[in-house]
Structures are given as structure tokens and as C-alpha cells.
């Protein structure tokens, strides 16, 4: 701050008019204010590190009811989850918009960050996408997490097609 003040004093001493210096100071303050208000706001969700069967975006899982887990990474210390909602579907864009054709758990009051899949029966050799939304201790909802995926394997020997 002292540097900026002395800069403006030097401009006055260098025969710049006080009006010109005043305009520069006003422009400086305006730019500083604009820069501070343009800083990235926290649009990111505190839900991250989504895993299915302890793996990020696994391929070929053979569990008919896989375990889905996530972590909470809030900026505030002590952020606690009071509820969650899981969306699972076969269309990543639908899941990203909060709709799932395979499972919409609805809001479940729980602090658990691992859940067993409870939607429609999973089909073999199919890619599924999923997302989580949580509510904090004040019942304030987060945004949906980034979309994660898992792909089922054969699931059953009856699905083996070979000669």
C-alpha cells in the first residue's frame, strides 16, 4: 500500500495534474475491486473421490449390488453430511442434470459415505454413470458431484456367449 501511495505522490510531483492522478487512483480502485469480485467463487461441490467397489471408474465389476463411496472435502472445517442422494443411469448427461434411469435414491438422511447400490438390476457388460449430492448439518444441499462411472462385467456365467 505504501508503494502505491508513493507512486501517486511521485506522479503529482512529476507535474501530472491532480485531476489526472485522481482519475488514475479511481481507475486503480475500480480495477482492484473488479479483480476481487471476479475471483472464482466456490462452485465446486464438496463431494469428490467417487469410487465403486473401492476403485475410481472401474471396468468389469462383477458385483450385482456394488458399493458406492465418496469423500467430503469442504472448505469449512467440520463440514458434516446429514443426508445424501445418489443418481445412477446409463446416460451421463442425464445423470449430470440430476436424473437417473436406473436409480434415484431420493434424499436419505444418513452420515454414511458408502452405500450399496439398490436400484434396478444391473445388466452385464453395461456402463453406468453416477453422481452424489449431499446435505450438510444445516440441511443445506450441495451441488451434484462430478459424474463418475462403473462398467459391469459378465455378472453371471449364463451371460457367457461363446463357441
Amino acid at each position: 500500500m505504501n508503494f502505491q501511495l508513493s507512486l501517486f505522490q511521485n506522479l503529482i510531483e512529476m507535474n501530472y495534474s491532480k485531476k489526472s492522478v485522481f482519475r488514475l487512483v479511481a481507475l486503480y480502485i475500480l480495477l482492484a475491486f473488479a479483480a476481487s469480485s471476479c475471483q472464482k467463487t466456490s462452485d465446486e461441490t464438496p463431494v469428490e473421490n467417487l469410487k465403486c467397489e473401492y476403485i475410481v471408474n472401474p471396468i468389469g465389476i462383477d458385483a450385482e449390488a456394488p458399493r458406492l463411496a465418496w469423500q467430503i472435502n469442504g472448505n469449512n472445517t467440520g463440514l458434516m453430511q446429514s443426508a445424501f442422494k445418489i443418481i445412477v443411469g446409463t446416460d451421463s448427461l442425464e445423470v449430470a442434470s440430476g436424473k437417473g434411469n436406473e436409480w434415484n435414491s431420493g434424499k436419505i438422511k444418513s452420515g454414511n459415505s458408502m452405500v450399496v447400490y439398490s436400484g434396478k438390476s444391473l445388466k452385464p457388460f453395461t456402463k453406468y454413470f453416477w453422481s452424489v449430492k449431499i446435505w450438510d448439518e444445516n440441511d443445506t444441499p450441495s451441488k451434484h458431484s462430478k459424474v463418475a462411472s462403473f462398467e459391469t462385467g459378465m455378472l453371471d456365467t449364463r451371460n457367457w456367449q461363446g463357441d
Side-chain angles (χ1 to χ4, degrees), residues 15-35:
N15 287 332
Y16 282 90
S17 71
K18 288 187 180 183
K19 194 173 187 180
S20 299
V21 173
F22 178 77
R23 286 182 182 154
L24 283 172
V25 170
L27 180 62
Y28 176 79
I29 292 170
L30 181 66
L31 289 174
F33 177 76

Side-chain angles (χ1 to χ4, degrees), residues 70 80-87 98 103-112 115 131-142 144:
W70 60 91
M80 296 194 47
Q81 170 187 309
S82 64
F84 66 86
K85 176 182 178 180
I86 297 180
I87 302 290
W103 185 36
N104 179 339
S105 70
K107 183 178 178 181
I108 297 175
K109 291 189 182 234
S110 171
N112 292 341
V115 175
S131 174
V132 180
K133 176 180 188 171
I134 65 163
W135 283 261
D136 67 11
E137 64 276 3
N138 299 318
D139 208 34
T140 305
S142 71
H144 280 277

